[in-house]
Amino acid sequence: MKFVSREQDKEVPLVLHPDSFLERRFNIPVIGHPLILPELDEGELKEARADIVKSEKAFPIANGLIHTTGEIERKIPFEKGFPGLRQRLTGTG
């Protein structure tokens, strides 16, 4: 993966939720085993000159003219997430 910058020595900002690097799997009972989803590798991103910014909150970009949405809380009962999708939280099995 390569990030292109106008200046080769300049890092490219990449705003991500802190959970973006967690291991994820998709449990599909029909196939009998979980499907491991590809992971983002923080080391590879940094090696590719990405300036990683981890934020759960809205984050200003474009000199403050635009803000990312940040984490959006699920408040409505039908917002249960994607069935079968799981992520490994730090320190859990």
Side-chain angles (χ1 to χ4, degrees), residues 3 11-16 45-46 48-54:
F3 291 86
E11 291 184 339
V12 176
L14 179 61
V15 181
L16 299 167
L45 290 171
K46 286 180 179 179
R49 309 286 294 152
D51 177 19
I52 298 172
V53 180
K54 297 178 185 177

Side-chain angles (χ1 to χ4, degrees), residues 26-36:
F26 189 30
N27 294 331
I28 307 172
V30 174
I31 63 173
H33 59 84
L35 175 65
I36 305 300

Side-chain angles (χ1 to χ4, degrees), residues 23-74:
E23 177 185 325
R24 289 179 166 74
R25 70 174 187 231
F26 189 30
N27 294 331
I28 307 172
V30 174
I31 63 173
H33 59 84
L35 175 65
I36 305 300
L37 300 176
E39 295 179 43
L40 287 177
D41 186 312
E42 188 169 358
E44 284 184 15
L45 290 171
K46 286 180 179 179
E47 191 176 302
R49 309 286 294 152
D51 177 19
I52 298 172
V53 180
K54 297 178 185 177
S55 179
E56 293 178 6
K57 307 276 186 221
F59 189 85
I61 57 176
N63 293 327
L65 297 173
I66 302 171
H67 282 74
T68 63
T69 60
E71 186 173 310
I72 300 172
E73 184 180 351
R74 292 183 177 143

